[in-house]
Amino acid sequence: MDTCLFCQIASRERPVKMVYEDEQSVAFEDINPKAPVHILIVPRQHLATILDATQADDRLLGHLLLVANLIAKQIGIAERGFRLVINCNSEGGQAVYHLHLHLLGGRPLSWHPA
Ligand code: AMP
Ligand code: ZN
């Protein structure tokens, strides 16, 4: 997936404000934040959308949620609250076709935050 933006970010070919990294995932600040906290949590494995995940990816999907949990606690928004969003395909508002979770917080969130 040489041309995939988030594959390039995960392999450090493109600079971002990285906030977390492990063997399976990376997390970095969104370049166009919709809230004071807007972090993208991205698996290193290329899955274009959540629809491309299968039973074989169940541990990875769980891991991404636990990374969100960890980051929310680390940056101090866990108690106030936050939102996790996955956009899927065109009507879901997906722009980058490499699966990612939006972690949004730092202000009260209305609907359509991402
Ligand atoms: P989505 O609409 O769910 O596909 O979200 C894609 C997100 O990626 C948007 O919130 C963009 O602002 C963000 N984004 C696009 N390019 C970059 C980049 N180079 N670094 C960080 N975030 C990016
Ligand atoms: Zn990719």
Side-chain angles (χ1 to χ4, degrees), residues 19-98:
V19 299
Y20 177 87
E21 264 191 286
D22 65 27
E23 282 186 7
Q24 297 174 78
S25 65
V26 297
F28 51 89
E29 292 183 10
D30 195 291
I31 203 168
N32 182 21
K34 310 296 192 302
V37 172
H38 190 169
I39 292 168
L40 301 176
I41 300 162
V42 176
R44 291 187 187 277
Q45 179 185 338
H46 181 90
L47 294 168
T49 79
I50 188 64
L51 294 171
D52 295 294
T54 69
Q55 198 63 41
D57 303 307
D58 63 349
R59 291 180 70 91
L60 176 62
L61 296 180
H63 181 74
L64 298 175
L65 292 176
L66 292 174
V67 169
N69 177 338
L70 181 76
I71 293 171
K73 290 174 182 166
Q74 278 185 348
I75 65 178
I77 61 164
E79 291 302 319
R80 290 172 61 188
F82 58 93
R83 187 171 293 166
L84 299 175
V85 174
I86 297 175
N87 297 323
C88 183
N89 282 340
S90 60
E91 290 193 5
Q94 186 170 4
V96 176
Y97 279 78
H98 178 133

Side-chain angles (χ1 to χ4, degrees), residues 4 53 67 75-76 102 104:
C4 170
V67 169
I75 65 178
H102 296 257
L104 294 146

